[in-house]
Structures are given as structure tokens and as C-alpha cells.
Amino acid sequence: WVDFILIFTVLTFAYDASPQTLGYAAALYGLPALFLGPLIGTLADHTSPIKFLLISFTFRFIVACLLFGASSESVFLTLVFLKGVSNLGSGAAEIILTRKLLTNKDLISNISLITVMDQFIKVCSPLAAGVIASMSDKAYGFLISALFSLLGIFCVILLSMSNRQKNIHTSDKRSFGSLKALKVLLSSGPSTRLFFTCALIQSAVLGCYDSLLSLHIKNLGLDEYVFGVV
């Protein structure tokens, strides 16, 4: 979340990016998940989740440092794409590892606490990113992100030392989807079609909103931190 806020505030306020460039950034950030997500998810199914998380955190650390030192808008956009790539697979590996380490009873008893912590982080980290962006003309917030990645690497190493199981997760056989599956979904009733349409509209709205909000804030004469507050 820190990276996400900083990407658009830096482009808007430091590089004076155009709406077209902000659209490119939003697309480059999301394209890896669209095209590489199923492939990376399959890799996560057939390798050690701890090893997968270690690689992910290391990649995130490197990209965050490079984003801090980006010298031009084009270099910055390239690194935004790599940032999207670095985010892939970690979610799947975390889910796999959670299922291996916790019983069903543990999951149920801890899910409310985890949800509260997750929402707290989702609120506080964008706010912190906005404040950091307003305090300097350089994207120092990316160094904060890099430090968090280092902390993640340290935690994964500690976890690997305490959890000596070498068993690779065995997943069920998966499908990458097909047009036939989509036809079945759309033919299952008007409520399902309406729900599917609403989901698509929501994604479209978020795609426009996220990329252009920072530009709108700048045009109103407001500071960088306002994006994080919103």
C-alpha cells in the first residue's frame, strides 16, 4: 500500500505526469497479475512457500530501492511494471503456508484478529505514505518499503529455522479457465449475470479512480499527503 500511493504521487507531483502516463502506470502495475498470475500461482503450488516468499521479499526490496533512485519518467514506469511482477505469488504462498502451519480451529479463532490488523495496516500505511511524500521532493517512502521487505526477509528466515518441514505443497488439479466456463457462469441466471456485471463495473471505476485521483488533487492545489488521507 505504501508503494501504491507513492507511485501515483511521485508521478504526479515529481514528474508532472500527464493523465495518459498515469493510465500507463496503472496498467503496468496490474498487467503482471493478469498475464503472469496463473503461471506464478502454479509455481507457488509446486515449490516451497518459504522459499517463494524469500524470493518475493528480496525482489520487492531491490525494486523499491530502484524506484527511489529512478532518474526519469520512463525508467520509473519500467520499475512500476517490475513492482507489479514482484507482488506476484506472495499472496498464494502466504495462503499455502498459513494452511500448513495452522489447524482449522486456529484459523477460526484468529481470523477476527487478523482481519482487524489487516484493515488497520490498510488504513495507516497509505496515510503514512502520503505524509512521507509531502515531506520531501524525493520518493523516500520507497526506502521505507525496502526496509519492510528486509524485515519480511528476516521473518521468513526465522520461520524457516523453526519450521523444518521440507514437504512441497500438493495442490489439486487446476484449470486456467475457458470460454465454456464463462458461458456456464453467464447462463446460470439473471442474478449471477448482474453480479458479474457489477464486479466488472467496479473494477473499471477503480481503474479510472486510482490513476486520476492524484492528478485531480494536484489540480485542486492540494498537497501530496491528501492522496494518502483519501
Side-chain angles (χ1 to χ4, degrees):
W1 281 101
V2 171
D3 292 328
F4 182 79
I5 297 298
L6 287 173
I7 283 170
F8 292 106
T9 53
V10 169
L11 280 172
T12 302
F13 291 92
Y15 290 109
D16 293 319
S18 65
Q20 185 177 14
T21 300
L22 292 173
Y24 287 153
L28 289 170
Y29 194 72
L31 279 175
L34 179 64
F35 291 108
L36 300 177
L39 176 63
I40 300 298
T42 301
L43 289 176
D45 277 335
H46 294 89
T47 187
S48 165
I50 290 180
K51 185 185 298 183
F52 208 90
L53 281 174
L54 191 61
I55 294 172
S56 176
F57 275 125
T58 303
F59 194 14
R60 288 181 182 187
F61 169 77
I62 294 171
V63 175
C65 292
L66 291 174
L67 279 167
F68 169 73
S71 57
S72 67
E73 187 179 277
S74 58
V75 172
F76 192 88
L77 286 176
T78 302
L79 293 172
V80 167
F81 175 77
L82 292 179
K83 187 68 186 69
V85 174
S86 72
N87 292 336
L88 291 177
S90 59
E94 287 164 5
I95 292 171
I96 293 169
L97 195 57
T98 301
R99 294 296 295 127
K100 289 181 66 175
L101 296 176
L102 299 179
T103 65
N104 289 334
K105 184 179 179 180
D106 290 333
L107 288 172
I108 294 172
S109 62
N110 286 284
I111 194 166
S112 59
L113 176 62
I114 294 172
T115 302
V116 170
M117 292 172 62
D118 183 59
Q119 292 302 316
F120 179 79
I121 291 171
K122 286 180 179 177
V123 169
C124 292
S125 54
L127 181 60
V131 172
I132 293 168
S134 66
M135 292 172 61
S136 65
D137 58 352
K138 191 76 171 165
Y140 285 102
F142 287 119
L143 294 182
I144 304 297
S145 175
L147 288 175
F148 277 127
S149 297
L150 279 179
L151 178 61
I153 292 172
F154 178 71
C155 290
V156 172
I157 291 173
L158 288 180
L159 185 61
S160 67
M161 294 171 62
S162 61
N163 181 43
R164 294 294 183 179
Q165 289 184 347
K166 298 298 182 180
N167 294 335
I168 294 175
H169 173 71
T170 54
S171 64
D172 297 329
K173 184 178 180 181
R174 291 188 179 185
S175 169
F176 285 95
S178 64
L179 290 177
K180 182 179 179 181
L182 181 60
K183 290 178 181 178
V184 171
L185 174 68
L186 295 178
S187 63
S188 58
S191 296
T192 305
R193 287 195 294 271
L194 179 61
F195 176 80
F196 185 67
T197 304
C198 288
L200 293 178
I201 292 173
Q202 183 185 34
S203 297
V205 170
L206 287 174
C208 296
Y209 171 86
D210 290 335
S211 58
L212 296 178
L213 176 61
S214 59
L215 189 64
H216 181 57
I217 288 172
K218 181 182 178 182
N219 290 337
L220 290 175
L222 301 174
D223 293 329
E224 295 93 324
Y225 79 92
V226 176
F227 191 22
V229 171
V230 173

